[in-house]
Amino acid sequence: MKKSLFRLTDMLELSFAYILCFSLNLLLDYVKTLDLDSYLLKAFLKNFIDYQPLVVSLFTFIVIVFHFQMLQRKKAEIFCRILVGGTVFNITTRYIRDSLTILIPVYLLSVLANAYLDFNFFSNFYLVLILITYILISARQVRKYENF
């Protein structure tokens, strides 16, 4: 990742955000399987379980905003790379490749966790589709930084 837009700290931050996103969904799936004796705790957790897709989607939106802010901080670097001779196409494809390189292993880790806990393998699949869609949309944002 010599020519990557992401530094090691950026990759770790983004990986951690993705891990939190997938683990929230896994945690809510796990809560569904618990047999709780406490009525108050059941009533409290029932609200989260009933609206699990909404809660996880909102948290995914927060991760997307974090990813967007990370890309916004790279405006000057992208412009300088274009001035030095990097093509917009190469920078955009590297951005997509590097983003997917961070996302796919985290997703595979969540699939392994789902398999270990005997949950549905595809419970996090819609999150991956949302995040991949955002990565492809944000790749167009990289092109806008050409005329910074």
Side-chain angles (χ1 to χ4, degrees), residues 87-103:
T87 63
V88 176
F89 178 75
N90 288 340
I91 293 170
T92 305
T93 55
R94 268 195 308 269
Y95 167 75
I96 292 171
R97 187 193 65 217
D98 293 343
S99 296
L100 291 177
T101 302
I102 295 169
L103 177 64

Side-chain angles (χ1 to χ4, degrees), residues 3-136:
K3 296 182 178 183
S4 174
L5 288 176
F6 299 121
R7 304 291 171 252
L8 181 62
T9 56
D10 296 335
M11 291 188 309
L12 290 175
E13 286 176 356
L14 199 55
S15 297
F16 185 68
Y18 289 154
I19 287 170
L20 284 176
C21 188
F22 291 123
S23 63
L24 176 66
N25 197 25
L26 182 68
L27 179 69
L28 290 174
D29 282 341
Y30 180 71
V31 168
K32 286 180 188 176
T33 64
L34 291 178
D35 186 26
L36 301 171
D37 294 332
S38 172
Y39 173 74
L40 290 175
L41 188 57
K42 263 188 200 176
F44 176 74
L45 292 176
K46 184 181 182 313
N47 292 328
F48 289 105
I49 293 171
D50 290 344
Y51 298 107
Q52 178 180 356
L54 180 64
V55 170
V56 173
S57 297
L58 288 175
F59 195 77
T60 304
F61 180 72
I62 292 170
V63 170
I64 287 173
V65 168
F66 175 75
H67 197 170
F68 175 76
Q69 288 176 344
M70 185 179 292
L71 185 60
Q72 287 292 95
R73 291 184 298 216
K74 303 291 182 178
K75 275 185 192 179
E77 183 176 348
I78 293 170
F79 182 70
C80 290
R81 285 178 187 231
I82 291 170
L83 283 178
V84 171
T87 63
V88 176
F89 178 75
N90 288 340
I91 293 170
T92 305
T93 55
R94 268 195 308 269
Y95 167 75
I96 292 171
R97 187 193 65 217
D98 293 343
S99 296
L100 291 177
T101 302
I102 295 169
L103 177 64
I104 299 302
V106 172
Y107 174 67
L108 292 177
L109 228 79
S110 76
V111 166
L112 288 175
N114 283 339
Y116 180 74
L117 295 171
D118 292 329
F119 293 148
N120 186 3
F121 284 104
F122 300 108
S123 66
N124 287 334
F125 189 68
Y126 72 97
L127 296 176
V128 171
L129 292 179
I130 291 170
L131 292 170
I132 287 175
T133 303
Y134 171 73
I135 289 169
L136 294 175

